[in-house]
Amino acid sequence: MARKASLSGFPEWLPQERLVELHVLDVLRRTFELHGFANIETRAVETVGQLLRKGEIDKEVYALSRLQAEEGEGPAKQDPNQLALHFDLTVPFARYVVENAGHLAFPFRRYQIQKVWRGERPQEGRAREFTQADIDVVGDGELPFRYDVELALVIAEALGALPIPDFRIRVNNRKLAEGFYRGIGLEDTAGVLRSIDKLEKVGADRVAELLQEELGATPEQASLALKLASIRTEDESFVDQVRALGVTSELLDTGLEELRQVIAEAARRAPGKVIADLSIARGLDYYTGTVYETVLVGHEQLGSICSGGRYDSLATKGSRSFPGVGLSIGVTRLVMRILSQEFAEASRSVPTAVLVTLADDDSWSAAQDVAAALRGRGIAVEVAAKAEKFGKQIKYADRRGIPFVWFTSDDGTHEVKDIRSGDQVQADPAVWTPPAEDLLPQVSARG
């Protein structure tokens, strides 16, 4: 990770680093599929009008144009039909659901792992080209709240299987927050949420000033909003703490009960991993209920590694509405931290388990027969390109990280050597198999 990128913000991994990334992707894919999520892939481009229909991050969108533009083609802001690279997977997914609603079985459970592009200032944890892994459940007309609970548990299971430090999934509910703000007389709930969302960056005193200066809150109202945001528990005790603030509203009651269900089940199935954190606001306006953010313990400065929430009207088609709940894992952000902190390493940089040596140049075809027999049983094999001294062929294998070297004698017998230990034994290409841990590169946590 100390290597200087030739193009900032577009990370490229060395083979051994890429194996760590592939391990992360495989763990996520396997976990999502075990929970019944089907995989989809959407196109890399959308129209500018589609991407910006909610007004999100227009300064960060990469618009596409040919080097030789046609006469009359203008910049992206002037042409909603111009193509641009997607900056997340949620907007493309909403479009996908609308266009394919007649072919999908609802509730539709989807996972999607793809590259996205965003014109941010590059730094560790933030790249301009990066991979996201999303899961969502979308309903047709309605979506039971139980899915909000389930997704928190799926993500806790997926993250728990990765070679990363301990983590906390911080959960809040927009209904709870909005009901509370209205209950104390602050009607611009979106504005309050935007101010509260800055709490970790600017501190409580500055947020109190913003609430008073920009939203007209009284000192008492600002104090109550900050008291709400200070509540953080691993169990259902947050309910009593909110009640103790003396605010009542029907929307608040609904939000409290929904958040209580998430925390109660998480405390049973993933104790300590999912907490109620009433400071979590999530800046995007389309969230309507549960909201999630996830941080690595001891690495909070990295920011959220997984976030999302409930959205009741992100996708619509005529009179039909497709409510959903989803979370997005920042895979590249996670991999950057895993590599920079050496949380995990691959056992070798190549898939090859065996190098078949050549005694002389005429033995190349026979060596290919050995390789074919081994490959037929799922063993990755390379055949030496030329008949150098065996010492040089062994050094080649060692330099490549190949653990086993195969020798064929003139009498047709075979031997295989583990060049790490020096052990050499007779072997039959029709039956020999390396130990399971050597069959493929292994990624293991360090420390």
Side-chain angles (χ1 to χ4, degrees):
M1 290 300 295
R3 292 177 291 112
K4 182 174 177 60
S6 60
L7 190 58
S8 181
F10 297 85
E12 294 177 329
W13 309 124
L14 293 173
Q16 203 152 352
E17 296 170 336
R18 172 62 171 161
L19 285 170
V20 173
E21 182 181 43
L22 287 174
H23 173 74
V24 170
L25 296 174
D26 287 343
V27 167
L28 297 178
R29 176 189 54 77
R30 183 167 59 250
T31 305
F32 297 159
E33 290 183 356
L34 283 172
H35 286 269
F37 289 84
N39 181 242
I40 69 165
E41 181 171 294
T42 58
R43 63 200 184 207
V45 299
E46 302 289 340
T47 65
V48 168
Q50 179 74 23
L51 289 174
L52 302 185
R53 62 193 180 92
K54 294 284 186 178
E56 296 97 349
I57 59 175
D58 57 315
K59 293 181 179 179
E60 299 178 3
V61 174
Y62 283 111
L64 299 181
S65 62
R66 289 172 294 178
L67 290 176
Q68 185 65 45
E70 292 185 12
E71 185 177 352
E73 287 186 347
K77 285 188 177 180
Q78 297 178 13
D79 184 2
N81 294 315
Q82 183 169 356
L83 299 181
L85 295 170
H86 56 220
F87 58 80
D88 73 358
L89 299 179
T90 302
V91 174
F93 177 55
R95 189 262 313 154
Y96 177 94
V97 168
V98 169
E99 292 183 358
N100 296 283
H103 305 283
L104 302 176
F106 293 97
F108 178 49
R109 302 165 69 91
R110 147 280 200 180
Y111 81 90
Q112 188 172 349
I113 301 175
Q114 278 185 245
K115 297 270 191 185
V116 299
W117 295 266
R118 194 174 296 176
E120 297 191 289
R121 183 173 64 85
Q123 55 187 296
E124 186 181 358
R126 290 190 181 275
R128 291 174 172 173
E129 178 184 69
F130 54 99
T131 300
Q132 286 188 334
D134 286 20
I135 57 170
D136 287 80
V137 183
V138 174
D140 186 356
E142 63 176 2
L143 185 72
F145 179 76
R146 288 277 171 82
Y147 290 113
D148 294 48
V149 183
E150 181 184 0
L151 259 65
L153 299 176
V154 173
I155 290 295
E157 181 179 329
L159 294 178
L162 296 178
I164 58 176
D166 199 9
F167 60 89
R168 295 291 181 271
I169 302 175
R170 303 155 67 187
V171 190
N172 197 4
N173 191 289
R174 293 285 279 261
K175 296 174 185 174
L176 186 165
E178 292 180 14
F180 185 90
Y181 301 148
R182 290 192 179 121
I184 62 175
L186 295 175
E187 293 298 324
D188 185 2
T189 57
V192 179
L193 285 167
R194 283 192 293 271
S195 296
I196 295 297
D197 201 29
K198 301 173 183 176
L199 192 56
E200 291 186 353
K201 293 182 179 179
V202 302
D205 291 343
R206 179 55 183 153
V207 170
E209 292 174 0
L210 290 172
L211 290 172
Q212 295 173 69
E213 294 170 1
E214 298 180 358
L215 300 173
T218 66
E220 293 76 16
Q221 289 171 323
S223 175
L224 281 170
L226 287 168
K227 285 180 180 178
L228 179 75
S230 71
I231 295 174
R232 186 176 291 111
T233 71
E234 293 184 4
D235 55 25
E236 301 168 63
S237 61
F238 73 90
V239 176
D240 291 336
Q241 293 185 41
V242 174
R243 296 292 186 204
L245 296 178
V247 179
T248 59
S249 83
E250 186 175 342
L251 188 61
L252 170 62
D253 292 342
T254 301
L256 275 172
E257 175 55 23
E258 288 183 352
L259 184 55
R260 186 200 65 78
Q261 290 183 46
V262 175
I263 300 303
E265 192 64 22
R268 177 171 176 258
R269 298 189 178 276
K273 302 298 185 185
V274 184
I275 65 172
D277 186 338
L278 275 55
S279 69
I280 300 302
R282 299 294 297 144
L284 298 174
D285 292 338
Y286 55 66
Y287 291 118
T288 56
T290 307
V291 286
Y292 317 84
E293 283 196 358
T294 310
V295 295
L296 296 180
V297 176
H299 301 264
E300 289 81 2
Q301 76 282 2
L302 183 64
S304 179
I305 60 165
C306 174
S307 58
R310 160 74 70 140
Y311 44 88
D312 286 331
S313 59
L314 183 65
T316 58
K317 185 177 184 179
S319 61
R320 294 173 70 182
S321 180
F322 302 96
V325 59
L327 288 109
S328 176
I329 297 175
V331 174
T332 301
R333 177 174 291 189
L334 267 179
V335 172
M336 283 180 172
R337 185 51 59 106
I338 291 171
L339 296 175
S340 68
Q341 301 296 310
E342 299 182 337
F343 292 141
E345 62 180 356
S347 58
R348 60 182 190 261
S349 60
V350 296
T352 313
V354 180
L355 173 72
V356 181
T357 63
L358 299 181
D360 54 59
D361 285 330
D362 292 336
S363 64
W364 186 83
S365 184
Q368 290 289 350
D369 292 337
V370 173
L374 295 173
R375 292 181 188 130
R377 290 181 290 107
I379 303 169
V381 183
E382 291 182 31
V383 175
K386 55 183 179 179
E388 299 179 300
K389 291 181 179 180
F390 283 137
K392 283 191 174 182
Q393 295 183 66
I394 291 171
K395 284 183 179 180
Y396 169 83
D398 185 47
R399 189 169 66 250
R400 292 269 290 157
I402 301 171
F404 296 96
V405 175
W406 193 281
F407 303 96
T408 301
S409 301
D410 292 338
D411 60 4
T413 60
H414 304 270
E415 291 187 349
V416 64
K417 180 176 184 175
D418 184 336
I419 64 173
R420 299 162 299 181
S421 65
D423 294 338
Q424 186 166 326
V425 297
Q426 287 193 330
D428 181 348
V431 297
W432 180 85
T433 299
E437 64 271 17
D438 292 323
L439 189 59
L440 292 170
Q442 302 296 307
V443 173
S444 57
R446 299 183 65 179

